[in-house]
Amino acid sequence: QSVLTQPSSVSGAPGQRVTISCTGSSSNIGATYDVHWYQQLPGTAPKLLIYGNSNRPSGVPDRFSGSKSGTSASLAITGLQAEDEADYYCQSYDSSLSGWVFGGGTKLTVL
Amino acid sequence: QVQLQESGPGLVKPSETLSLTCAVSGYSISSGYYWGWIRQPPGKGLEWIGSIYHSGSTHYNLSLKSRVIISVDTSKNQFSLKLSSVTAADTAVYYCARSWGIAAAQIDYWGQGTLVTVSS
């Protein structure tokens, strides 16, 4: 049972837009701690996709965007491409646990 | 370019201690940043184990704290993980990683990961 809740799977056709939610509580996302997102391609280590709720590291396409409101955050992917098929994880800090917490991960399937 | 590389036994017996090392290249650990460990059981999600600052200050996952020790060796530019009294539930891919902090920080560099299986 993950502290941050994500849908187990989402899917979309090439070119479409999908969103992945990440729901927390008042001790993590709701306590204004930043949310970060990672993309994990099959058999590889996670890669930083979005940091500080909505910032993209250099090299990440602007098709990926992040937002945060209240106790939730979202990752949006527009113009879906086959190469976007991966697992996506959100991460934040929890003051009650005094450490990092991750969402359970969302598997994105490009139809 | 910062690179992290995990090393250690791929098979550990139940009740024994899992020991892994992460060698860092392209950046001097003594210059700063937090250095941590994250694990991922097969087919499951990510779990933070703990992190250490270059000065030796540590932060651990409360659920693992009684069994974890993370240490840093700045002379070798590496840091290590020891997890004691392991069971099959500790079977996972173990990643080492870098972040600029704890409370608000993201992980900007990851190692490739190493699979550790706990089995007799």
Side-chain angles (χ1 to χ4, degrees), chain A residues 33-34 36 38 40 44-48 50-52 89 91-93 96-104, chain B residues 38 40 44-48 51 59-62 95 99 101-108 110-113:
Chain A
Y33 292 111
D34 284 346
H36 318 293
Y38 302 89
Q40 186 176 33
T44 69
K47 166 195 163 187
L48 181 63
I50 296 288
Y51 68 94
Y89 293 89
Q91 176 234 326
S92 187
Y93 177 85
S96 297
L97 300 174
S98 299
W100 289 341
V101 289
F102 287 93
Chain B
I38 293 104
Q40 184 173 34
K44 297 188 178 180
L46 301 167
E47 179 181 37
W48 173 68
S51 299
H59 300 259
Y60 295 134
N61 183 324
L62 295 180
Y95 296 100
S99 66
I102 293 293
Q106 68 276 12
I107 302 164
D108 58 358
W110 297 71
Q112 65 183 29

mmCIF file of all heavy atoms in Angstrom, chain A residues 33-34 36 38 40 44-48 50-52 89 91-93 96-104, chain B residues 38 40 44-48 51 59-62 95 99 101-108 110-113:
data_model
loop_
_atom_site.group_PDB
_atom_site.id
_atom_site.type_symbol
_atom_site.label_atom_id
_atom_site.label_comp_id
_atom_site.label_asym_id
_atom_site.label_seq_id
_atom_site.Cartn_x
_atom_site.Cartn_y
_atom_site.Cartn_z
ATOM 1 N N TYR A 33 4.870 20.053 0.064
ATOM 2 C CA TYR A 33 6.108 19.452 -0.426
ATOM 3 C C TYR A 33 5.988 19.225 -1.934
ATOM 4 O O TYR A 33 4.934 18.838 -2.438
ATOM 5 C CB TYR A 33 6.405 18.134 0.283
ATOM 6 C CG TYR A 33 6.750 18.312 1.741
ATOM 7 C CD1 TYR A 33 5.890 17.888 2.745
ATOM 8 C CD2 TYR A 33 7.949 18.928 2.114
ATOM 9 C CE1 TYR A 33 6.207 18.068 4.085
ATOM 10 C CE2 TYR A 33 8.268 19.116 3.453
ATOM 11 C CZ TYR A 33 7.391 18.687 4.434
ATOM 12 O OH TYR A 33 7.702 18.879 5.750
ATOM 13 N N ASP A 34 7.076 19.439 -2.626
ATOM 14 C CA ASP A 34 7.080 19.289 -4.076
ATOM 15 C C ASP A 34 6.826 17.850 -4.499
ATOM 16 O O ASP A 34 7.146 16.894 -3.779
ATOM 17 C CB ASP A 34 8.424 19.735 -4.655
ATOM 18 C CG ASP A 34 8.572 21.241 -4.702
ATOM 19 O OD1 ASP A 34 7.553 21.957 -4.545
ATOM 20 O OD2 ASP A 34 9.711 21.715 -4.886
ATOM 21 N N HIS A 36 7.537 15.128 -7.691
ATOM 22 C CA HIS A 36 8.414 14.853 -8.818
ATOM 23 C C HIS A 36 7.901 13.607 -9.538
ATOM 24 O O HIS A 36 7.282 12.733 -8.915
ATOM 25 C CB HIS A 36 9.855 14.630 -8.339
ATOM 26 C CG HIS A 36 10.282 15.589 -7.271
ATOM 27 N ND1 HIS A 36 10.444 16.946 -7.506
ATOM 28 C CD2 HIS A 36 10.553 15.393 -5.950
ATOM 29 C CE1 HIS A 36 10.796 17.534 -6.376
ATOM 30 N NE2 HIS A 36 10.865 16.628 -5.421
ATOM 31 N N TYR A 38 8.809 10.409 -12.420
ATOM 32 C CA TYR A 38 9.854 9.624 -13.067
ATOM 33 C C TYR A 38 9.225 8.702 -14.106
ATOM 34 O O TYR A 38 8.119 8.192 -13.916
ATOM 35 C CB TYR A 38 10.618 8.778 -12.036
ATOM 36 C CG TYR A 38 11.243 9.617 -10.948
ATOM 37 C CD1 TYR A 38 10.530 9.918 -9.802
ATOM 38 C CD2 TYR A 38 12.526 10.142 -11.091
ATOM 39 C CE1 TYR A 38 11.074 10.714 -8.813
ATOM 40 C CE2 TYR A 38 13.084 10.944 -10.108
ATOM 41 C CZ TYR A 38 12.346 11.231 -8.974
ATOM 42 O OH TYR A 38 12.891 12.035 -7.991
ATOM 43 N N GLN A 40 9.951 5.154 -16.137
ATOM 44 C CA GLN A 40 10.780 3.960 -16.118
ATOM 45 C C GLN A 40 10.444 3.079 -17.324
ATOM 46 O O GLN A 40 9.381 2.452 -17.365
ATOM 47 C CB GLN A 40 10.592 3.165 -14.819
ATOM 48 C CG GLN A 40 11.547 1.986 -14.691
ATOM 49 C CD GLN A 40 11.436 1.264 -13.362
ATOM 50 O OE1 GLN A 40 10.358 1.173 -12.774
ATOM 51 N NE2 GLN A 40 12.557 0.744 -12.868
ATOM 52 N N THR A 44 14.904 -0.743 -17.270
ATOM 53 C CA THR A 44 15.866 0.333 -17.024
ATOM 54 C C THR A 44 15.580 1.036 -15.703
ATOM 55 O O THR A 44 14.534 0.840 -15.089
ATOM 56 C CB THR A 44 15.835 1.379 -18.149
ATOM 57 O OG1 THR A 44 14.586 2.093 -18.091
ATOM 58 C CG2 THR A 44 15.993 0.729 -19.512
ATOM 59 N N ALA A 45 16.526 1.876 -15.281
ATOM 60 C CA ALA A 45 16.339 2.662 -14.072
ATOM 61 C C ALA A 45 15.363 3.807 -14.343
ATOM 62 O O ALA A 45 15.232 4.268 -15.486
ATOM 63 C CB ALA A 45 17.679 3.229 -13.608
ATOM 64 N N PRO A 46 14.678 4.276 -13.306
ATOM 65 C CA PRO A 46 13.813 5.447 -13.486
ATOM 66 C C PRO A 46 14.621 6.649 -13.960
ATOM 67 O O PRO A 46 15.816 6.765 -13.677
ATOM 68 C CB PRO A 46 13.252 5.677 -12.079
ATOM 69 C CG PRO A 46 13.337 4.342 -11.412
ATOM 70 C CD PRO A 46 14.603 3.738 -11.947
ATOM 71 N N LYS A 47 13.927 7.537 -14.669
ATOM 72 C CA LYS A 47 14.550 8.757 -15.184
ATOM 73 C C LYS A 47 13.686 9.938 -14.753
ATOM 74 O O LYS A 47 12.453 9.885 -14.863
ATOM 75 C CB LYS A 47 14.630 8.684 -16.707
ATOM 76 C CG LYS A 47 14.938 9.993 -17.409
ATOM 77 C CD LYS A 47 14.634 9.886 -18.892
ATOM 78 C CE LYS A 47 14.530 11.251 -19.562
ATOM 79 N NZ LYS A 47 14.076 11.172 -20.958
ATOM 80 N N LEU A 48 14.310 11.005 -14.277
ATOM 81 C CA LEU A 48 13.569 12.185 -13.845
ATOM 82 C C LEU A 48 12.853 12.829 -15.030
ATOM 83 O O LEU A 48 13.481 13.148 -16.043
ATOM 84 C CB LEU A 48 14.527 13.187 -13.205
ATOM 85 C CG LEU A 48 13.911 14.478 -12.676
ATOM 86 C CD1 LEU A 48 12.915 14.192 -11.546
ATOM 87 C CD2 LEU A 48 14.996 15.434 -12.201
ATOM 88 N N ILE A 50 9.752 15.175 -14.409
ATOM 89 C CA ILE A 50 9.249 16.464 -13.931
ATOM 90 C C ILE A 50 9.764 16.647 -12.501
ATOM 91 O O ILE A 50 9.680 15.714 -11.705
ATOM 92 C CB ILE A 50 7.713 16.526 -13.909
ATOM 93 C CG1 ILE A 50 7.137 16.399 -15.318
ATOM 94 C CG2 ILE A 50 7.228 17.817 -13.233
ATOM 95 C CD1 ILE A 50 7.333 17.615 -16.213
ATOM 96 N N TYR A 51 10.280 17.834 -12.178
ATOM 97 C CA TYR A 51 10.687 18.111 -10.801
ATOM 98 C C TYR A 51 10.033 19.390 -10.317
ATOM 99 O O TYR A 51 9.638 20.251 -11.126
ATOM 100 C CB TYR A 51 12.215 18.186 -10.674
ATOM 101 C CG TYR A 51 12.855 19.367 -11.365
ATOM 102 C CD1 TYR A 51 13.116 20.547 -10.667
ATOM 103 C CD2 TYR A 51 13.194 19.323 -12.715
ATOM 104 C CE1 TYR A 51 13.702 21.636 -11.295
ATOM 105 C CE2 TYR A 51 13.780 20.393 -13.356
ATOM 106 C CZ TYR A 51 14.031 21.546 -12.641
ATOM 107 O OH TYR A 51 14.600 22.623 -13.277
ATOM 108 N N GLY A 52 9.913 19.509 -9.016
ATOM 109 C CA GLY A 52 9.297 20.712 -8.451
ATOM 110 C C GLY A 52 7.907 20.971 -8.982
ATOM 111 O O GLY A 52 7.569 22.104 -9.304
ATOM 112 N N TYR A 89 6.072 7.109 -12.101
ATOM 113 C CA TYR A 89 5.992 7.181 -10.645
ATOM 114 C C TYR A 89 6.031 8.633 -10.167
ATOM 115 O O TYR A 89 6.837 9.428 -10.657
ATOM 116 C CB TYR A 89 7.163 6.447 -9.997
ATOM 117 C CG TYR A 89 7.157 4.954 -10.200
ATOM 118 C CD1 TYR A 89 7.778 4.375 -11.304
ATOM 119 C CD2 TYR A 89 6.513 4.118 -9.285
ATOM 120 C CE1 TYR A 89 7.762 3.005 -11.494
ATOM 121 C CE2 TYR A 89 6.496 2.741 -9.466
ATOM 122 C CZ TYR A 89 7.127 2.189 -10.575
ATOM 123 O OH TYR A 89 7.115 0.832 -10.748
ATOM 124 N N GLN A 91 6.672 11.098 -6.723
ATOM 125 C CA GLN A 91 7.468 11.059 -5.488
ATOM 126 C C GLN A 91 7.314 12.377 -4.749
ATOM 127 O O GLN A 91 7.264 13.443 -5.373
ATOM 128 C CB GLN A 91 8.940 10.830 -5.820
ATOM 129 C CG GLN A 91 9.888 10.861 -4.622
ATOM 130 C CD GLN A 91 11.031 11.836 -4.788
ATOM 131 O OE1 GLN A 91 11.529 12.045 -5.904
ATOM 132 N NE2 GLN A 91 11.478 12.453 -3.702
ATOM 133 N N SER A 92 7.247 12.293 -3.429
ATOM 134 C CA SER A 92 7.215 13.502 -2.611
ATOM 135 C C SER A 92 7.871 13.182 -1.269
ATOM 136 O O SER A 92 8.497 12.132 -1.113
ATOM 137 C CB SER A 92 5.773 13.982 -2.427
ATOM 138 O OG SER A 92 5.736 15.229 -1.766
ATOM 139 N N TYR A 93 7.728 14.111 -0.329
ATOM 140 C CA TYR A 93 8.271 13.920 1.019
ATOM 141 C C TYR A 93 7.092 13.881 1.979
ATOM 142 O O TYR A 93 6.105 14.605 1.807
ATOM 143 C CB TYR A 93 9.206 15.071 1.377
ATOM 144 C CG TYR A 93 9.773 15.003 2.776
ATOM 145 C CD1 TYR A 93 10.912 14.264 3.042
ATOM 146 C CD2 TYR A 93 9.161 15.694 3.825
ATOM 147 C CE1 TYR A 93 11.436 14.209 4.328
ATOM 148 C CE2 TYR A 93 9.681 15.643 5.105
ATOM 149 C CZ TYR A 93 10.817 14.893 5.357
ATOM 150 O OH TYR A 93 11.338 14.831 6.622
ATOM 151 N N SER A 96 5.244 13.028 8.288
ATOM 152 C CA SER A 96 4.955 12.045 9.337
ATOM 153 C C SER A 96 5.951 10.893 9.309
ATOM 154 O O SER A 96 6.313 10.337 10.341
ATOM 155 C CB SER A 96 3.543 11.494 9.184
ATOM 156 O OG SER A 96 2.581 12.497 9.343
ATOM 157 N N LEU A 97 6.385 10.535 8.128
ATOM 158 C CA LEU A 97 7.330 9.442 7.943
ATOM 159 C C LEU A 97 8.776 9.931 7.883
ATOM 160 O O LEU A 97 9.713 9.134 7.890
ATOM 161 C CB LEU A 97 6.992 8.679 6.657
ATOM 162 C CG LEU A 97 5.599 8.061 6.604
ATOM 163 C CD1 LEU A 97 5.331 7.459 5.230
ATOM 164 C CD2 LEU A 97 5.432 7.012 7.698
ATOM 165 N N SER A 98 8.925 11.246 7.799
ATOM 166 C CA SER A 98 10.266 11.853 7.731
ATOM 167 C C SER A 98 11.103 11.270 6.602
ATOM 168 O O SER A 98 12.308 10.982 6.770
ATOM 169 C CB SER A 98 11.005 11.661 9.058
ATOM 170 O OG SER A 98 10.314 12.276 10.113
ATOM 171 N N GLY A 99 10.491 11.096 5.459
ATOM 172 C CA GLY A 99 11.242 10.551 4.333
ATOM 173 C C GLY A 99 10.467 10.606 3.039
ATOM 174 O O GLY A 99 9.329 11.067 2.982
ATOM 175 N N TRP A 100 11.139 10.144 1.991
ATOM 176 C CA TRP A 100 10.516 10.119 0.681
ATOM 177 C C TRP A 100 9.435 9.057 0.587
ATOM 178 O O TRP A 100 9.566 7.974 1.163
ATOM 179 C CB TRP A 100 11.566 9.808 -0.389
ATOM 180 C CG TRP A 100 12.531 10.903 -0.658
ATOM 181 C CD1 TRP A 100 12.392 12.223 -0.346
ATOM 182 C CD2 TRP A 100 13.792 10.782 -1.301
ATOM 183 N NE1 TRP A 100 13.490 12.921 -0.758
ATOM 184 C CE2 TRP A 100 14.367 12.072 -1.352
ATOM 185 C CE3 TRP A 100 14.493 9.712 -1.854
ATOM 186 C CZ2 TRP A 100 15.614 12.317 -1.930
ATOM 187 C CZ3 TRP A 100 15.727 9.951 -2.430
ATOM 188 C CH2 TRP A 100 16.278 11.241 -2.457
ATOM 189 N N VAL A 101 8.402 9.374 -0.186
ATOM 190 C CA VAL A 101 7.358 8.414 -0.491
ATOM 191 C C VAL A 101 7.118 8.421 -1.992
ATOM 192 O O VAL A 101 7.261 9.455 -2.648
ATOM 193 C CB VAL A 101 6.053 8.720 0.265
ATOM 194 C CG1 VAL A 101 6.212 8.414 1.757
ATOM 195 C CG2 VAL A 101 5.619 10.178 0.079
ATOM 196 N N PHE A 102 6.756 7.255 -2.516
ATOM 197 C CA PHE A 102 6.489 7.100 -3.933
ATOM 198 C C PHE A 102 5.051 6.644 -4.141
ATOM 199 O O PHE A 102 4.449 6.007 -3.264
ATOM 200 C CB PHE A 102 7.399 6.033 -4.544
ATOM 201 C CG PHE A 102 8.836 6.451 -4.706
ATOM 202 C CD1 PHE A 102 9.753 6.173 -3.710
ATOM 203 C CD2 PHE A 102 9.260 7.109 -5.852
ATOM 204 C CE1 PHE A 102 11.090 6.538 -3.848
ATOM 205 C CE2 PHE A 102 10.583 7.480 -6.005
ATOM 206 C CZ PHE A 102 11.506 7.198 -5.002
ATOM 207 N N GLY A 103 4.521 6.952 -5.312
ATOM 208 C CA GLY A 103 3.268 6.356 -5.727
ATOM 209 C C GLY A 103 3.529 4.923 -6.162
ATOM 210 O O GLY A 103 4.679 4.522 -6.373
ATOM 211 N N GLY A 104 2.465 4.149 -6.299
ATOM 212 C CA GLY A 104 2.609 2.745 -6.670
ATOM 213 C C GLY A 104 2.979 2.515 -8.119
ATOM 214 O O GLY A 104 3.288 1.388 -8.516
ATOM 215 N N ILE B 38 17.348 3.214 -3.175
ATOM 216 C CA ILE B 38 15.940 2.942 -3.458
ATOM 217 C C ILE B 38 15.867 1.517 -3.983
ATOM 218 O O ILE B 38 16.766 1.076 -4.716
ATOM 219 C CB ILE B 38 15.379 3.922 -4.522
ATOM 220 C CG1 ILE B 38 15.341 5.343 -3.968
ATOM 221 C CG2 ILE B 38 13.974 3.522 -4.964
ATOM 222 C CD1 ILE B 38 16.436 6.242 -4.496
ATOM 223 N N GLN B 40 13.315 -1.847 -5.631
ATOM 224 C CA GLN B 40 12.110 -2.169 -6.387
ATOM 225 C C GLN B 40 11.972 -3.672 -6.478
ATOM 226 O O GLN B 40 12.661 -4.323 -7.269
ATOM 227 C CB GLN B 40 12.192 -1.548 -7.786
ATOM 228 C CG GLN B 40 10.952 -1.736 -8.623
ATOM 229 C CD GLN B 40 11.004 -0.965 -9.927
ATOM 230 O OE1 GLN B 40 12.066 -0.810 -10.527
ATOM 231 N NE2 GLN B 40 9.868 -0.460 -10.368
ATOM 232 N N LYS B 44 7.052 -4.710 -8.908
ATOM 233 C CA LYS B 44 6.396 -3.794 -7.969
ATOM 234 C C LYS B 44 6.973 -2.382 -8.068
ATOM 235 O O LYS B 44 7.788 -2.086 -8.946
ATOM 236 C CB LYS B 44 6.507 -4.342 -6.543
ATOM 237 C CG LYS B 44 5.793 -5.667 -6.348
ATOM 238 C CD LYS B 44 5.768 -6.080 -4.887
ATOM 239 C CE LYS B 44 4.994 -7.383 -4.722
ATOM 240 N NZ LYS B 44 4.937 -7.825 -3.299
ATOM 241 N N GLY B 45 6.534 -1.517 -7.142
ATOM 242 C CA GLY B 45 6.925 -0.120 -7.180
ATOM 243 C C GLY B 45 8.213 0.175 -6.429
ATOM 244 O O GLY B 45 8.892 -0.717 -5.924
ATOM 245 N N LEU B 46 8.521 1.478 -6.366
ATOM 246 C CA LEU B 46 9.767 1.945 -5.760
ATOM 247 C C LEU B 46 9.603 2.191 -4.258
ATOM 248 O O LEU B 46 8.560 2.663 -3.807
ATOM 249 C CB LEU B 46 10.193 3.253 -6.438
ATOM 250 C CG LEU B 46 10.415 3.173 -7.949
ATOM 251 C CD1 LEU B 46 10.513 4.580 -8.545
ATOM 252 C CD2 LEU B 46 11.667 2.380 -8.274
ATOM 253 N N GLU B 47 10.647 1.883 -3.510
ATOM 254 C CA GLU B 47 10.652 2.128 -2.069
ATOM 255 C C GLU B 47 11.989 2.764 -1.681
ATOM 256 O O GLU B 47 13.053 2.213 -1.942
ATOM 257 C CB GLU B 47 10.455 0.831 -1.282
ATOM 258 C CG GLU B 47 10.485 1.037 0.233
ATOM 259 C CD GLU B 47 10.318 -0.251 1.008
ATOM 260 O OE1 GLU B 47 10.845 -1.297 0.557
ATOM 261 O OE2 GLU B 47 9.689 -0.223 2.078
ATOM 262 N N TRP B 48 11.908 3.937 -1.041
ATOM 263 C CA TRP B 48 13.106 4.606 -0.553
ATOM 264 C C TRP B 48 13.623 3.883 0.689
ATOM 265 O O TRP B 48 12.875 3.587 1.607
ATOM 266 C CB TRP B 48 12.771 6.058 -0.231
ATOM 267 C CG TRP B 48 13.858 6.837 0.434
ATOM 268 C CD1 TRP B 48 15.055 7.224 -0.107
ATOM 269 C CD2 TRP B 48 13.837 7.359 1.763
ATOM 270 N NE1 TRP B 48 15.771 7.957 0.807
ATOM 271 C CE2 TRP B 48 15.057 8.053 1.960
ATOM 272 C CE3 TRP B 48 12.915 7.318 2.806
ATOM 273 C CZ2 TRP B 48 15.367 8.693 3.161
ATOM 274 C CZ3 TRP B 48 13.218 7.953 4.007
ATOM 275 C CH2 TRP B 48 14.440 8.636 4.162
ATOM 276 N N SER B 51 19.073 7.774 2.881
ATOM 277 C CA SER B 51 20.030 8.660 2.217
ATOM 278 C C SER B 51 21.056 9.149 3.222
ATOM 279 O O SER B 51 20.792 9.200 4.424
ATOM 280 C CB SER B 51 19.309 9.859 1.598
ATOM 281 O OG SER B 51 18.365 9.450 0.621
ATOM 282 N N HIS B 59 19.417 9.695 6.862
ATOM 283 C CA HIS B 59 17.956 9.675 6.948
ATOM 284 C C HIS B 59 17.521 8.304 6.464
ATOM 285 O O HIS B 59 17.927 7.880 5.384
ATOM 286 C CB HIS B 59 17.337 10.756 6.059
ATOM 287 C CG HIS B 59 17.764 12.143 6.401
ATOM 288 N ND1 HIS B 59 16.974 13.006 7.130
ATOM 289 C CD2 HIS B 59 18.896 12.820 6.128
ATOM 290 C CE1 HIS B 59 17.607 14.153 7.271
ATOM 291 N NE2 HIS B 59 18.781 14.072 6.671
ATOM 292 N N TYR B 60 16.686 7.619 7.279
ATOM 293 C CA TYR B 60 16.278 6.275 6.918
ATOM 294 C C TYR B 60 14.755 6.143 6.853
ATOM 295 O O TYR B 60 14.017 6.824 7.584
ATOM 296 C CB TYR B 60 16.792 5.265 7.949
ATOM 297 C CG TYR B 60 18.297 5.119 8.026
ATOM 298 C CD1 TYR B 60 18.950 5.100 9.252
ATOM 299 C CD2 TYR B 60 19.068 4.992 6.863
ATOM 300 C CE1 TYR B 60 20.326 4.951 9.333
ATOM 301 C CE2 TYR B 60 20.446 4.851 6.935
ATOM 302 C CZ TYR B 60 21.073 4.830 8.171
ATOM 303 O OH TYR B 60 22.438 4.685 8.248
ATOM 304 N N ASN B 61 14.298 5.235 5.994
ATOM 305 C CA ASN B 61 12.890 4.837 5.970
ATOM 306 C C ASN B 61 12.577 4.216 7.338
ATOM 307 O O ASN B 61 13.245 3.274 7.761
ATOM 308 C CB ASN B 61 12.667 3.836 4.837
ATOM 309 C CG ASN B 61 11.215 3.430 4.682
ATOM 310 O OD1 ASN B 61 10.480 3.297 5.662
ATOM 311 N ND2 ASN B 61 10.809 3.218 3.445
ATOM 312 N N LEU B 62 11.575 4.766 8.008
ATOM 313 C CA LEU B 62 11.272 4.306 9.366
ATOM 314 C C LEU B 62 10.955 2.810 9.409
ATOM 315 O O LEU B 62 11.251 2.141 10.404
ATOM 316 C CB LEU B 62 10.109 5.112 9.935
ATOM 317 C CG LEU B 62 10.386 6.601 10.156
ATOM 318 C CD1 LEU B 62 9.146 7.300 10.724
ATOM 319 C CD2 LEU B 62 11.586 6.814 11.056
ATOM 320 N N TYR B 95 18.737 0.329 -6.334
ATOM 321 C CA TYR B 95 19.310 1.451 -7.063
ATOM 322 C C TYR B 95 20.008 2.398 -6.095
ATOM 323 O O TYR B 95 19.476 2.683 -5.016
ATOM 324 C CB TYR B 95 18.221 2.255 -7.773
ATOM 325 C CG TYR B 95 17.457 1.538 -8.854
ATOM 326 C CD1 TYR B 95 16.196 1.000 -8.612
ATOM 327 C CD2 TYR B 95 17.984 1.422 -10.136
ATOM 328 C CE1 TYR B 95 15.482 0.359 -9.616
ATOM 329 C CE2 TYR B 95 17.273 0.782 -11.151
ATOM 330 C CZ TYR B 95 16.031 0.255 -10.869
ATOM 331 O OH TYR B 95 15.322 -0.376 -11.875
ATOM 332 N N SER B 99 20.552 13.128 -4.847
ATOM 333 C CA SER B 99 19.588 14.220 -4.774
ATOM 334 C C SER B 99 20.233 15.391 -4.064
ATOM 335 O O SER B 99 21.178 15.211 -3.301
ATOM 336 C CB SER B 99 18.321 13.787 -4.037
ATOM 337 O OG SER B 99 18.617 13.527 -2.671
ATOM 338 N N GLY B 101 18.816 17.279 -1.831
ATOM 339 C CA GLY B 101 18.306 17.420 -0.474
ATOM 340 C C GLY B 101 17.400 16.265 -0.125
ATOM 341 O O GLY B 101 17.399 15.235 -0.800
ATOM 342 N N ILE B 102 16.614 16.452 0.905
ATOM 343 C CA ILE B 102 15.670 15.409 1.306
ATOM 344 C C ILE B 102 14.229 15.901 1.157
ATOM 345 O O ILE B 102 13.453 15.356 0.395
ATOM 346 C CB ILE B 102 15.924 14.955 2.758
ATOM 347 C CG1 ILE B 102 17.275 14.236 2.852
ATOM 348 C CG2 ILE B 102 14.801 14.035 3.235
ATOM 349 C CD1 ILE B 102 17.346 12.924 2.126
ATOM 350 N N ALA B 103 13.857 16.943 1.885
ATOM 351 C CA ALA B 103 12.455 17.323 2.000
ATOM 352 C C ALA B 103 11.811 17.707 0.675
ATOM 353 O O ALA B 103 10.676 17.348 0.406
ATOM 354 C CB ALA B 103 12.299 18.445 3.009
ATOM 355 N N ALA B 104 12.483 18.442 -0.139
ATOM 356 C CA ALA B 104 11.852 18.937 -1.366
ATOM 357 C C ALA B 104 12.539 18.447 -2.617
ATOM 358 O O ALA B 104 12.207 18.861 -3.719
ATOM 359 C CB ALA B 104 11.841 20.458 -1.362
ATOM 360 N N ALA B 105 13.485 17.538 -2.454
ATOM 361 C CA ALA B 105 14.394 17.246 -3.555
ATOM 362 C C ALA B 105 13.962 16.108 -4.454
ATOM 363 O O ALA B 105 13.332 15.150 -4.016
ATOM 364 C CB ALA B 105 15.781 16.941 -3.003
ATOM 365 N N GLN B 106 14.358 16.240 -5.708
ATOM 366 C CA GLN B 106 14.164 15.177 -6.666
ATOM 367 C C GLN B 106 15.458 14.381 -6.797
ATOM 368 O O GLN B 106 16.526 14.835 -6.403
ATOM 369 C CB GLN B 106 13.790 15.757 -8.042
ATOM 370 C CG GLN B 106 14.897 16.520 -8.731
ATOM 371 C CD GLN B 106 14.988 17.953 -8.288
ATOM 372 O OE1 GLN B 106 14.383 18.376 -7.297
ATOM 373 N NE2 GLN B 106 15.770 18.747 -9.005
ATOM 374 N N ILE B 107 15.354 13.203 -7.385
ATOM 375 C CA ILE B 107 16.518 12.371 -7.663
ATOM 376 C C ILE B 107 16.953 12.669 -9.087
ATOM 377 O O ILE B 107 16.192 12.428 -10.031
ATOM 378 C CB ILE B 107 16.174 10.879 -7.517
ATOM 379 C CG1 ILE B 107 15.661 10.597 -6.107
ATOM 380 C CG2 ILE B 107 17.377 10.012 -7.850
ATOM 381 C CD1 ILE B 107 14.934 9.278 -5.965
ATOM 382 N N ASP B 108 18.166 13.209 -9.237
ATOM 383 C CA ASP B 108 18.559 13.594 -10.595
ATOM 384 C C ASP B 108 19.448 12.562 -11.289
ATOM 385 O O ASP B 108 19.529 12.550 -12.520
ATOM 386 C CB ASP B 108 19.208 14.984 -10.616
ATOM 387 C CG ASP B 108 20.436 15.098 -9.715
ATOM 388 O OD1 ASP B 108 20.781 14.103 -9.037
ATOM 389 O OD2 ASP B 108 21.031 16.186 -9.689
ATOM 390 N N TRP B 110 20.535 8.281 -11.226
ATOM 391 C CA TRP B 110 20.293 6.927 -10.735
ATOM 392 C C TRP B 110 21.391 6.007 -11.258
ATOM 393 O O TRP B 110 21.892 6.196 -12.364
ATOM 394 C CB TRP B 110 18.963 6.387 -11.251
ATOM 395 C CG TRP B 110 17.738 7.110 -10.830
ATOM 396 C CD1 TRP B 110 17.328 8.354 -11.229
ATOM 397 C CD2 TRP B 110 16.713 6.624 -9.948
ATOM 398 N NE1 TRP B 110 16.134 8.669 -10.652
ATOM 399 C CE2 TRP B 110 15.722 7.618 -9.860
ATOM 400 C CE3 TRP B 110 16.534 5.429 -9.233
ATOM 401 C CZ2 TRP B 110 14.578 7.479 -9.076
ATOM 402 C CZ3 TRP B 110 15.397 5.288 -8.463
ATOM 403 C CH2 TRP B 110 14.438 6.299 -8.382
ATOM 404 N N GLY B 111 21.718 4.976 -10.462
ATOM 405 C CA GLY B 111 22.534 3.895 -10.974
ATOM 406 C C GLY B 111 21.664 3.002 -11.842
ATOM 407 O O GLY B 111 20.450 3.182 -11.921
ATOM 408 N N GLN B 112 22.270 2.050 -12.500
ATOM 409 C CA GLN B 112 21.517 1.153 -13.379
ATOM 410 C C GLN B 112 20.739 0.113 -12.606
ATOM 411 O O GLN B 112 19.810 -0.494 -13.148
ATOM 412 C CB GLN B 112 22.463 0.454 -14.360
ATOM 413 C CG GLN B 112 23.451 -0.490 -13.704
ATOM 414 C CD GLN B 112 24.416 -1.112 -14.718
ATOM 415 O OE1 GLN B 112 24.728 -0.532 -15.749
ATOM 416 N NE2 GLN B 112 24.908 -2.297 -14.403
ATOM 417 N N GLY B 113 21.080 -0.082 -11.329
ATOM 418 C CA GLY B 113 20.373 -1.047 -10.502
ATOM 419 C C GLY B 113 21.054 -2.407 -10.491
ATOM 420 O O GLY B 113 21.680 -2.810 -11.470
#
